Amino acid sequence: AHSMVQLSLGLGPPEQEGRALGRLRALQENFARAYCELFQPSVLWGAGLEPGDAPMAELQRDLDGHILKVAASAVHLGVFAELALAAEFYLERALEGPSAGRRVPPVVLPVMLCRVVCTILVSSFATQDASSALLQRHFRLLMPDLLSVLLTFFEVLAARQHCEDIEDYFAASPAALDAFAALSAIGLWSLFSEAVPGRVVSLLLGMPRVLADPALFARLVLSLLSRPLEPALAGAYEALAPGDRAAFWQQVAARGKLCCLAPAEAKRAVEEWLSVSAEAEGPGFDMGALQVAATETAVDSLINRCLAELPDSLRDCPPPPTQREAVGAVAPTCTAVESGGSEEVAMGLSLLGLPALPGQAPRLAAADGRSGQRRGGSRGG
């Protein structure tokens, strides 16, 4: 910054040079405050130093409003229902297990669905206006489909938890548990009987790896705050090592926003629910936020790898057909075979490059007198 200012001095109008010096001075002051206040990142964003500057809280409100507007448009287009159906289709294939020449389907669609649900609901919790209420109502109406996706996801995880090809699903499980906690905050347990959500909880309690992971365990506890305490959860907390307990409370504070709770409120609610005291946190960075960021980065890498492994036929679009080819493809293909007084008519989806549907399979039609007359007339003409 110093070198840029030195190069610009004397090369522009005086007001421009003064503005550059003011920005440099503000930057130096911000870094000085960051150093004096133990490297807290929030002091790096000064407000009111330049025209148009705004506090980070105001910028976050603008971002939440933008997210809700985009989500409202997606609701009108029916995006979330279709995405839930697509995710469940892939999870059903994964539940069947790999067959000859086919591996477990990638987990990209369920992760994207869980992420978008959490992002929209967290923004709605922060905004609390009419659009937020409408979006929450929409996700309540979609709750059966979303809960079915989560149930199938954890069924795949439980059935194949000891297989080598399931690591991607374990990497994606924080996103699924985030969605489960966010749905719990908008009435999951009051809208449904305990059968389906209870089945999800039973699957999670049956996986030791979930109970031993502080991040997964914290998300599970947040999703069950409105339910009676499970003895298995109390035992799982007691079994955590001291370092894992500290990480557990950091995750509780960082992900409390999924349940519309501030960090301190989330920790207090979990303390009362588990009947324990939170582990004391040492000074320094917000480790919970850093752990959440690391989890999100791992999921981003998983999505990018799955997209990179797509077949070339899905990434490279074929050249558009010419006008003559398109017109010829629209018309159904009809083939007449005169054999024993019968006519075979074959119709397919040639425009899409797909085989014929069951109702469009080649069919045999008896040649009646009128069809014979048509054929005879065409020969005579």
Side-chain angles (χ1 to χ4, degrees):
H2 276 288
S3 61
M4 294 300 296
V5 170
Q6 291 173 0
L7 289 175
S8 63
L9 289 178
L11 300 179
E15 59 272 11
Q16 184 177 357
E17 295 179 4
R19 189 160 53 247
L21 289 173
R23 289 177 178 175
L24 176 60
R25 184 175 180 179
L27 181 63
Q28 291 173 335
E29 292 175 352
N30 286 337
F31 275 106
R33 288 200 303 271
Y35 181 80
C36 295
E37 298 182 19
L38 299 179
F39 305 96
Q40 295 181 10
S42 60
V43 302
L44 291 175
W45 290 279
L49 300 177
E50 291 289 337
D53 283 353
M56 290 301 294
E58 183 178 341
L59 296 177
Q60 183 63 45
R61 286 194 296 270
D62 293 341
L63 176 60
D64 290 332
H66 176 69
I67 291 173
L68 297 181
K69 289 179 181 178
V70 175
S73 301
V75 168
H76 291 304
L77 295 174
V79 172
F80 302 121
E82 296 299 327
L83 183 57
L85 291 176
E88 187 173 8
F89 171 77
Y90 276 91
L91 288 173
E92 290 288 348
R93 288 189 60 196
L95 191 59
E96 296 174 358
S99 59
R102 190 187 73 184
R103 62 176 186 175
V104 175
V107 72
V108 174
L109 285 179
V111 168
M112 293 175 63
L113 175 64
C114 294
R115 270 189 163 185
V116 73
V117 168
C118 292
T119 301
I120 294 171
L121 288 180
V122 169
S123 295
S124 71
F125 296 155
T127 306
Q128 295 295 345
D129 56 7
S131 61
S132 302
L134 290 175
L135 286 169
Q136 292 178 18
R137 179 178 178 272
H138 178 72
F139 283 114
R140 289 190 189 99
L141 295 175
L142 279 181
M143 193 90 70
D145 295 333
L146 299 175
L147 191 57
S148 179
V149 170
L150 293 176
L151 177 59
T152 310
F153 177 88
F154 291 119
E155 285 178 345
V156 174
L157 200 61
R160 304 185 56 79
Q161 57 181 310
H162 302 296
C163 300
E164 295 181 357
D165 57 359
I166 204 64
E167 287 303 316
D168 288 349
Y169 281 75
F170 270 110
S173 53
L177 278 169
D178 281 345
F180 192 57
L183 293 177
S184 300
I186 61 171
L188 169 64
W189 296 98
S190 60
L191 294 174
F192 284 89
S193 63
E194 296 187 8
V196 179
R199 172 64 176 160
V200 173
V201 175
S202 299
L203 290 171
L204 292 169
L205 293 179
M207 289 184 279
R209 187 169 174 178
V210 172
L211 300 180
D213 189 307
L216 301 180
F217 185 48
R219 289 163 168 82
L220 177 58
V221 169
L222 287 172
S223 64
L224 298 176
L225 287 179
S226 61
R227 309 300 304 159
L229 176 62
E230 294 278 349
L233 292 175
Y237 177 79
E238 295 296 332
L240 290 175
D244 290 338
R245 288 187 186 181
F248 167 80
W249 290 108
Q250 292 164 358
Q251 289 285 325
V252 166
R255 305 311 286 165
K257 61 181 181 180
L258 296 171
C259 302
C260 198
L261 296 173
E265 295 174 347
K267 293 176 68 173
R268 185 165 55 251
V270 173
E271 283 179 339
E272 295 175 357
W273 193 71
L274 288 175
S275 300
V276 296
S277 297
E279 298 287 335
E281 297 183 12
F285 293 104
D286 186 356
M287 293 304 298
L290 293 178
Q291 292 166 2
V292 171
T295 301
E296 295 294 327
T297 302
V299 174
D300 289 338
S301 301
L302 171 64
I303 293 175
N304 292 333
R305 178 167 55 81
C306 292
L307 294 178
E309 293 175 355
L310 286 174
D312 293 337
S313 59
L314 297 180
R315 288 198 301 266
D316 300 332
C317 298
T322 62
Q323 183 177 4
R324 182 175 181 180
E325 292 173 346
V327 172
V330 171
T333 303
C334 301
T335 305
V337 179
E338 298 184 10
S339 175
S342 62
E343 183 180 75
E344 182 180 7
V345 181
M347 302 177 66
L349 299 178
S350 57
L351 179 60
L352 302 178
L354 299 175
L357 295 174
Q360 295 176 317
R363 60 183 183 272
L364 294 176
D368 54 7
R370 287 175 296 180
S371 62
Q373 291 176 0
R374 288 197 298 268
R375 288 195 297 272
S378 61
R379 293 191 191 98

